[in-house]
Every structure is written in structure tokens, then in C-alpha cells.
């Protein structure tokens, strides 16, 4: 049934399940024990055990709901992130100048996460549960970002290398068709990626996540660093 449910709806279900578990373990059980005080202790103990098991069963569902909510938000964020693929077309053989600001889509990458956290349906989530979900989404989106950026950088470097070979050039500092010292298309693309990652880091901070707390963010920053000529990953 969760397949067609929105993350916000699942957050409400999670909240209700957690509240019900707290109720069963707290005042409700105590009230029932008083009501059944006339019964033998063994009977009361049996009822208490049944309630305790019910509360445990409810709590066991919470991690699954967290995972489903996280996956739903992550996929929405990644849909925005896919616009990164258009960067190559923007700078490949277009004579555009070196970029000076981040791509237009970057501030929207984490918009689904921010919308989820600020929605009325998620206000009932505990601060701990909400914080864990935000961190999980940030980590997974950043990992996907790193993967996509790494693929893009590898592709543009392979393309540049192929063009150099076609032109008979071996100097790694000179791109195909460019003069020595000129900024190459690959330089522009990598610089754009760097500006984007820096802005993405600011967006993480605004969402309450410290970029340096995410290992894949550090790797992502290294991947898009124009000053670092990363080795080209061989295609299997």
C-alpha cells in the first residue's frame, strides 16, 4: 500500500504509529491495569504483555517507514539533479565564456527535502526522526551527485582525449582546436561543476546538514576540482 503513498502521507502514518506506541506503553496500559485490578495477577500480566508486544510491533515498523519516506524524497531530488547532464551541451564547442555562477537548477536540488520538512503533515515528527531523515536524504542525494558528476567528468575527459588524438595532439594542457594557454571546453565544464558543488554545499547547510559530515561530498568536491586532473576511469 505504500507504493502509491506520498512521503508526507507516510510521515503522518509514522507519527500516528509512534504516538500509539507511546500511548500503549504509557497511560493506556496503566488505565487498563486499573480497570482489570479485580482479575488475577496472571491475567493482568498477560494483558500487559500483549500490549507491550503490540507497542514493540508498532516501533519495528518505524524504520521501514523512514526508509520509504527517505527514498521518495531522494528520488525527487535526483530528478532535479539530472539537469546536470545539460552542462556538457552548454559548453562543448559553443565558445561560451568561463562560467561565473552556479547552474540555475542547483538551488532546487534539495527543494523536495525542504518542502517535505516544512509540510503540515511532517510537523508531528519528532525532532530526532526529522533530523535523521534529513541527514539520510542529504547523504543519499550527495552520493548520487558524486556518481553522476564522476561519470560526466570521465566522459568529457575521454572526449577531449579522443579529440586530441584526432588532431595529433599529445599535450594534456591544450584541448582540441585550442591554442596553448586558452581555456578549454573541459575547463569550462569542470569549473561549472565546481561552482555548482559549492552552491550545493550552501544548500546543504541551509537544510541543517554540515557538508563535511558527508564523505561523498568531499569526494564530489575533489571530482569536480579543475585543478586536479583525475585519472580517467576505464570503461568495462
Amino acid at each position: 500500500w505504500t507504493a502509491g503513498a506520498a512521503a508526507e502521507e507516510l510521515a503522518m502514518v509514522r507519527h500516528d504509529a509512534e504516538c500509539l506506541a507511546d500511548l500503549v506503553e504509557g497511560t493506556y496500559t496503566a488505565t487498563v491495569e486499573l480497570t482489570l485490578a479485580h482479575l488475577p495477577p496472571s491475567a493482568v500480566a498477560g494483558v500487559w504483555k500483549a500490549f507491550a508486544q503490540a507497542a514493540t510491533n508498532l516501533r519495528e515498523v518505524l524504520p521501514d517507514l523512514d526508509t520509504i519516506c527517505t527514498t521518495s524524497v531522494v528520488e525527487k531530488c535526483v530528478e532535479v539533479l539530472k539537469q546536470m547532464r545539460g552542462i556538457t551541451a552548454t559548453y562543448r564547442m559553443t565558445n561560451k565564456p568561463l562560467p561565473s555562477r552556479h547552474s540555475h537548477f542547483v538551488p532546487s536540488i534539495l527543494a523536495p527535502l525542504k518542502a517535505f520538512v516544512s509540510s503540515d503533515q511532517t510537523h508531528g515528527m519528532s525532532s530526532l526522526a526529522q533530523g535523521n531523515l534529513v541527514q539520510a536524504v542529504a547523504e543519499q542525494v550527495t552520493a548520487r551527485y558524486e556518481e553522476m558528476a564522476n561519470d560526466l567528468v570521465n566522459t568529457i575527459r575521454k572526449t577531449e582525449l579522443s579529440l586530441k588524438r584526432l588532431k595529433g595532439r599529445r599535450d594534456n594542457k591544450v584541448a582540441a582546436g585550442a591554442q596553448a594557454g586558452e581555456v578549454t571546453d573541459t575547463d569550462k565544464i569542470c569549473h561549472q561543476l565546481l561552482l555548482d558543488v559549492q552552491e550545493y554545499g550552501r544548500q546543504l547547510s541551509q537544510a541543517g546538514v554540515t557538508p563535511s559530515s558527508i564523505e561523498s561530498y568531499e569526494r564530489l568536491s575533489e571530482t569536480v576540482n579543475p585543478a586536479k586532473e583525475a585519472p580517467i576511469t576505464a570503461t568495462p
Side-chain angles (χ1 to χ4, degrees):
W1 63 271
T2 59
E8 291 80 4
E9 294 173 333
L10 293 174
M12 293 179 64
V13 173
R14 186 201 188 286
H15 170 63
D16 290 348
E18 189 169 28
C19 286
L20 182 56
D22 291 340
L23 179 63
V24 169
E25 292 176 336
T27 58
Y28 187 70
T29 298
T31 300
V32 172
E33 286 181 342
L34 288 175
T35 303
L36 301 179
H38 63 285
L39 295 178
S42 59
V44 175
V47 172
W48 184 91
K49 183 177 180 181
F51 281 164
Q53 184 60 53
T56 298
N57 292 343
L58 283 170
R59 294 195 187 282
E60 288 177 349
V61 174
L62 300 183
D64 293 334
L65 291 172
D66 287 340
T67 297
I68 297 170
C69 284
T70 298
T71 300
S72 175
V73 177
V74 167
E75 291 307 315
K76 291 179 181 178
C77 293
V78 172
E79 278 302 310
V80 180
L81 185 56
K82 288 178 181 179
Q83 295 180 58
M84 180 177 63
R85 297 168 180 168
I87 295 176
T88 300
T90 300
Y91 292 102
R92 180 66 73 196
M93 298 181 181
T94 60
N95 293 321
K96 285 184 178 291
L98 191 71
S100 58
R101 66 186 309 275
H102 60 77
S103 299
H104 67 90
F105 67 87
V106 178
S108 300
I109 294 175
L110 295 178
L113 173 60
K114 295 175 183 178
F116 173 79
V117 172
S118 62
S119 66
D120 293 337
Q121 295 95 323
T122 60
H123 286 170
M125 292 181 68
S126 66
S127 297
L128 177 60
Q130 193 173 108
N132 289 340
L133 186 142
V134 168
Q135 185 70 29
V137 169
E139 289 177 356
Q140 292 184 37
V141 172
T142 304
R144 298 281 287 275
Y145 198 161
E146 181 207 357
E147 179 184 336
M148 294 170 67
N150 190 58
D151 289 343
L152 180 57
V153 170
N154 275 326
T155 298
I156 62 175
R157 294 200 186 283
K158 288 177 182 178
T159 300
E160 181 183 44
L161 184 59
S162 296
L163 291 172
K164 286 178 182 179
R165 287 172 176 169
L166 288 173
K167 296 290 184 178
R169 296 175 183 262
R170 298 296 182 180
D171 187 354
N172 289 331
K173 295 181 181 179
V174 182
Q179 300 299 318
E182 230 181 274
V183 178
T184 69
D185 292 342
T186 298
D187 292 334
K188 296 174 185 177
I189 295 170
C190 286
H191 190 67
Q192 182 66 76
L193 291 172
L194 177 62
L195 292 174
D196 291 351
V197 169
Q198 291 172 342
E199 174 60 23
Y200 175 68
R202 287 188 283 271
Q203 295 298 320
L204 283 172
S205 297
Q206 290 180 16
V209 178
T210 304
S212 60
S213 70
I214 305 177
E215 290 184 11
S216 54
Y217 182 81
E218 299 299 317
R219 296 194 299 268
L220 173 61
S221 298
E222 292 180 3
T223 296
V224 303
N225 187 352
K228 183 178 180 180
E229 190 73 16
I232 298 174
T233 303
T235 302

